[in-house]
Amino acid sequence: DVKVTQSSRYLVKRTGEKVFLECVQDMDHENMFWYRQDPGLGLRLIYFSYDVKMKEKGDIPEGYSVSREKKERFSLILESASTNQTSMYLCASSKTAEFYEQYFGPGTRLTVT
Amino acid sequence: SQQGEEDPQALSIQEGENATMNCSYKTSINNLQWYRQNSGRGLVHLILIRSNEREKHSGRLRVTLDTSKKSSSLLITASRAADTASYFCAVNTGFQKLVFGTGTRLLVSP
C-alpha cells in the first residue's frame, strides 16, 4: 500500500513564525502536491512538484514556498505565518502516467494565532 | 480555475438506501475521479472514469459520465453508516494535476 505521511496532525503557531510542513511518500512517485482545504472552498492546490528540485505554482501560492531535495520528501514552508493561513493542509503524491490517482496523507490542521 | 461542483452539498439518508451525488465541470477532461474523505482525514481514491467511458462499477459504487453535459454522478447502493463521509469529484484536464470540487457531505443514519 502507498503510504503518505505528514509530520504533524495538529500544529499551533504564532503570527510571523516560519512554519515547515513535511510530507514523505514511500512509493517512488514522481509527483507530489500540497493542498489546503477550507470549508466551502474544497481543496485548492498550493504547489506541486513533478521531479526532484522541480516545482510549479498552483492556484494559491502566495505566502508559501516549497522544497523538494529528495524524491520522497516534499516540504511546504510558510515564510511568515498569518492568521488567514489557518487551515487543513493535505499532501498527496502520484506517479506520472496518463491515468493516475493521487494518494493523500492524513492532513495537518494548522492554527495560526 | 475550473472546478467540479458537487450537488447536493449535503445529503442525509437511512442505512440501506441509495445515495446519489452529482458533479458538473466546465471544460474538456481526460478523466474524472471520485474521492472520499472521512472527517478530519485525508482523501481516499474511490474510482476513475476515463473521458471515453460512460459508466463504471466498483463494488457498491456506480459512476456515470456524460461528457456532452459535462457532468458525472456517483451512486452508492445499499448505504451503510460507515459510508458517512464527504465525497469529492476531481477532474483531470490532461496535465498531472487534479482540480477538486467542494464536496458532498453524506450522512447515513442507522
Side-chain angles (χ1 to χ4, degrees):
Chain A
D1 273 356
V2 176
K3 195 160 187 181
V4 180
T5 58
Q6 294 183 228
S7 50
S8 306
R9 287 300 320 278
Y10 300 94
L11 208 52
V12 180
K13 295 291 182 181
R14 293 196 180 276
T15 300
E17 279 193 79
K18 191 168 186 176
V19 181
F20 292 87
L21 302 182
E22 299 238 307
C23 175
V24 177
Q25 51 94 4
D26 66 359
M27 282 299 289
D28 202 35
H29 284 172
E30 294 85 5
N31 306 309
M32 296 188 75
F33 308 82
W34 275 107
Y35 297 90
R36 66 175 281 176
Q37 182 179 23
D38 301 288
L41 297 177
L43 276 74
R44 293 180 292 167
L45 182 64
I46 304 171
Y47 267 99
F48 74 102
S49 169
Y50 51 89
D51 201 352
V52 175
K53 296 190 187 294
M54 305 303 288
K55 61 186 179 185
E56 283 204 22
K57 294 180 180 179
D59 300 318
I60 51 164
E62 296 77 19
Y64 304 94
S65 63
V66 290
S67 172
R68 193 166 180 202
E69 296 297 318
K70 293 185 177 182
K71 191 174 186 179
E72 68 270 19
R73 190 178 298 268
F74 192 35
S75 301
L76 180 69
I77 303 155
L78 286 66
E79 297 291 342
S80 178
S82 64
T83 55
N84 63 13
Q85 291 178 312
T86 291
S87 187
M88 169 72 101
Y89 289 87
L90 293 164
C91 175
S93 72
S94 72
K95 62 181 181 181
T96 295
E98 183 179 5
F99 300 104
Y100 63 91
E101 60 193 83
Q102 290 188 5
Y103 295 84
F104 282 80
T108 295
R109 187 165 293 281
L110 173 67
T111 301
V112 183
T113 62
Chain B
S1 63
Q2 77 139 52
Q3 188 180 65
E5 296 288 338
E6 285 93 340
D7 171 57
Q9 291 188 336
L11 182 60
S12 185
I13 60 173
Q14 300 291 122
E15 266 191 327
E17 294 180 342
N18 295 341
T20 300
M21 290 157 255
N22 303 296
C23 171
S24 60
Y25 57 91
K26 296 176 185 173
T27 66
S28 298
I29 62 171
N30 175 277
N31 65 82
L32 185 145
Q33 303 180 29
W34 286 90
Y35 288 78
R36 183 187 75 226
Q37 183 181 36
N38 291 92
S39 181
R41 308 294 296 186
L43 279 70
V44 174
H45 180 263
L46 295 175
I47 196 164
L48 180 154
I49 186 164
R50 303 180 182 191
S51 60
N52 61 354
E53 296 176 316
R54 293 296 167 257
E55 190 170 311
K56 201 159 182 183
H57 296 255
S58 176
R60 292 184 296 113
L61 305 181
R62 173 179 169 252
V63 169
T64 61
L65 179 65
D66 186 334
T67 53
S68 67
K69 294 182 179 178
K70 293 186 169 57
S71 68
S72 173
S73 67
L74 171 67
L75 168 68
I76 305 174
T77 59
S79 296
R80 305 166 182 168
D83 294 327
T84 293
S86 291
Y87 292 82
F88 294 86
C89 69
V91 296
N92 170 233
T93 57
F95 302 103
Q96 296 293 320
K97 293 190 295 182
L98 295 175
V99 179
F100 287 82
T102 53
T104 293
R105 293 189 312 279
L106 173 65
L107 173 64
V108 182
S109 302

